[in-house]
Amino acid sequence: MKLSAIGLEHLARAGLAARGAVYLMVGGLAVLAAVGSGGGVGGGGSALRSLLGHPLGALPLAAIGLGLVAFSAWRLTNAAFDGDRHGASPKGLGTRAVHVLSGIVNGGLAVTAFSLAFGVGRRGGDNDAAQDWTAWLLTQPFGRWLVAIVGAGIVGAGLFHFWKVWRGDMLKRLSVPPERRHLALTLGRIGYAARGLTFLIIGGFLLIAALHSDSSEARGLGGALEALREQPVGWALLAVVAAGLAAFGAFGFAQARWRRIEALDLGDARQTIDALARRASA
């Protein structure tokens, strides 16, 4: 039994465009801050808050929130039913787990967008959220190990981004017209490199938080960008990485336009469950 690709396509394209818009705002605001022309350094939540100062800011917030809900739903459904055919190997399951995490994170960002649109979430920074869930994890059994595992996973995701940059395979699931491939690939490479670097920084801070058992060490995307600005010639580092994040946002619109969306086979989820059960009993 298969789920139609039509509904999934709407979810995916709306979601990829919404995520692209968020990264464009994050990168654009940080570039302006780096060159001293206003803007601000922060993560997705801070970028969304910047819309509150504009007329009718609640409307784009609500639209982005809906798009992020669509992205989250698509990511979770695609991971569950293996829409991209990653399989049930350790590598495939790891990739699907990352997609689940992406769905959860963007679902949380959607909640932020809606709360801001309706005037109930105007306080708190991006680092607050990272520190809050890190503090919660630290209170759990083996909490320091849990935080370390998450941090190592994010570092691994950052390294995977650089691997994709080196291979240049970020277009393999896109049907890009030949005359647009060079531009799309360039945006993808720059964007993945910048995003990979921020992942390495975020994961590194989580490893430090685990080592010291101190949630205040954790940082989100905004904290990672601030860490760059604190370095020698930090304004230049921030400007380059922020421009890269904006490129990743632009690449998100390319994904929204040209991503191939396949119908989902409900049997794939059953196959994954059976494979996990066999491994557990081995």
Side-chain angles (χ1 to χ4, degrees):
M1 180 178 179
K2 291 192 175 183
L3 292 175
S4 169
I6 297 176
L8 294 170
E9 182 174 349
H10 291 317
L11 288 176
R13 300 199 191 288
L16 289 165
R19 188 182 67 162
V22 172
Y23 270 95
L24 270 176
M25 288 191 293
V26 169
L29 289 170
V31 167
L32 291 175
V35 299
S37 298
V41 179
S46 296
L48 293 174
R49 288 183 191 92
S50 70
L51 293 174
L52 292 173
H54 297 275
L56 303 177
L59 291 179
L61 276 170
I64 290 173
L66 287 172
L68 291 172
V69 168
F71 183 85
S72 179
W74 172 62
R75 271 294 202 220
L76 295 174
T77 304
N78 211 41
F81 297 108
D82 198 15
D84 289 332
R85 306 296 184 262
H86 291 295
S89 66
K91 177 183 176 182
L93 291 174
T95 301
R96 291 163 71 179
V98 170
H99 289 173
V100 169
L101 180 60
S102 173
I104 294 171
V105 169
N106 282 279
L109 191 57
V111 172
T112 298
F114 286 128
S115 64
L116 289 168
F118 292 105
V120 294
R122 303 193 177 203
R123 295 183 180 180
D126 299 286
N127 285 337
D128 295 336
Q131 291 169 4
D132 286 346
W133 69 257
T134 302
W136 178 81
L137 273 182
L138 287 172
T139 63
Q140 306 308 305
F142 306 103
R144 293 175 66 177
W145 287 104
L146 292 174
V147 174
I149 289 170
V150 173
I154 294 175
V155 168
L159 293 174
F160 179 71
H161 275 55
F162 283 109
W163 181 73
K164 286 183 72 69
V165 171
W166 178 70
R167 290 194 59 181
D169 65 350
M170 56 279 300
L171 301 185
K172 69 179 181 180
R173 299 191 188 279
L174 277 62
S175 298
V176 184
E179 67 273 14
R180 303 292 185 187
R181 286 188 65 86
H182 178 71
L183 175 60
L185 183 59
T186 300
L187 288 173
R189 275 191 154 131
I190 294 172
Y192 269 84
R195 194 168 183 244
L197 178 59
T198 60
F199 275 26
L200 291 179
I201 297 171
I202 293 168
F205 277 117
L206 280 174
L207 291 174
I208 294 172
L211 179 64
H212 298 160
S213 193
D214 182 2
S215 62
S216 67
E217 300 277 9
R219 298 195 187 189
L221 176 56
L225 294 176
E226 283 285 1
L228 289 172
R229 186 159 65 171
E230 292 165 2
Q231 305 308 307
V233 296
W235 68 271
L237 287 174
L238 176 61
V240 169
V241 175
L245 293 178
F248 184 80
F251 182 70
F253 285 98
Q255 291 176 305
R257 176 67 179 85
W258 292 306
R259 181 62 148 84
R260 291 190 299 273
I261 311 297
E262 306 292 340
L264 299 183
D265 190 338
L266 300 185
D268 288 338
R270 183 62 188 175
Q271 291 175 10
T272 299
I273 294 172
D274 290 344
L276 290 173
R278 287 195 297 271
R279 284 204 182 98
S281 60

